Amino acid sequence: MVEHSAPDLDSLFHALGDPTRRRMIRALAGGEKTVGELAKPFAISLAAASKHIKALESAGLLRREVRGRTHLCRLEPGPLASAHAWLGFYETFWTERLDALDRLLREEDARKTEPVPQPVTQPVKGDIP
């Protein structure tokens, strides 16, 4: 497992914890966008969009470049790879436990469907063989 410092992951998960910022990240996956283009799908001001963008910038998820009066934003996917690596540990953790639970349940089901042995009865005196 790749080790990452807590503040990096903290700011990353804080940034990803907001649905508006997650949608902005998704939009940036299609290529660079202006602040106005990122704000357009939401009923928010450019100032509010800028606050979201600053949170994404501080988490390292996007880079903003100023070209004249235009602010262009570009996705920086590196921190997403860090989050994926961190979450991968827990994916393995839960997969192993769920696989063990599945094995136990299958074994229990197999025991329930095994035929029950019938008791052997001794002939009673007077029975016809």
Side-chain angles (χ1 to χ4, degrees):
M1 182 174 113
V2 179
E3 287 296 320
H4 302 281
S5 64
D8 293 337
L9 285 175
D10 289 348
S11 65
L12 176 63
F13 285 118
H14 170 74
L16 294 173
D18 183 89
T20 300
R21 292 193 284 265
R22 288 192 305 270
R23 285 183 57 199
M24 287 179 166
I25 290 294
R26 182 171 294 260
L28 289 170
E32 65 182 22
K33 307 266 186 251
T34 65
V35 172
E37 289 170 329
L38 287 173
K40 188 175 182 177
F42 310 101
I44 59 174
S45 66
L46 288 178
S50 185
K51 286 182 181 181
H52 285 296
I53 289 167
K54 284 178 185 174
L56 293 169
E57 277 182 303
S58 70
L61 289 165
L62 72 77
R63 178 170 293 154
R64 187 184 338 203
E65 180 182 331
V66 180
R67 293 185 194 155
R69 293 184 54 169
T70 305
H71 290 234
L72 287 169
C73 300
R74 181 177 57 245
L75 177 65
E76 291 291 331
L80 292 173
S82 297
H84 184 266
W86 187 83
L87 290 168
F89 169 81
Y90 293 98
E91 178 182 15
T92 302
F93 173 87
W94 284 111
T95 298
E96 289 172 357
R97 275 144 188 85
L98 291 172
D99 287 347
L101 177 60
D102 183 58
R103 278 191 304 276
L104 288 171
L105 292 172
R106 288 179 189 273
E107 289 169 7
E108 185 176 317
D109 285 346
R111 282 192 302 271
K112 288 179 181 176
T113 58
E114 288 178 3
V116 178
Q118 298 299 318
V120 176
T121 57
Q122 297 295 327
V124 178
K125 190 173 184 176
D127 279 350
I128 301 174

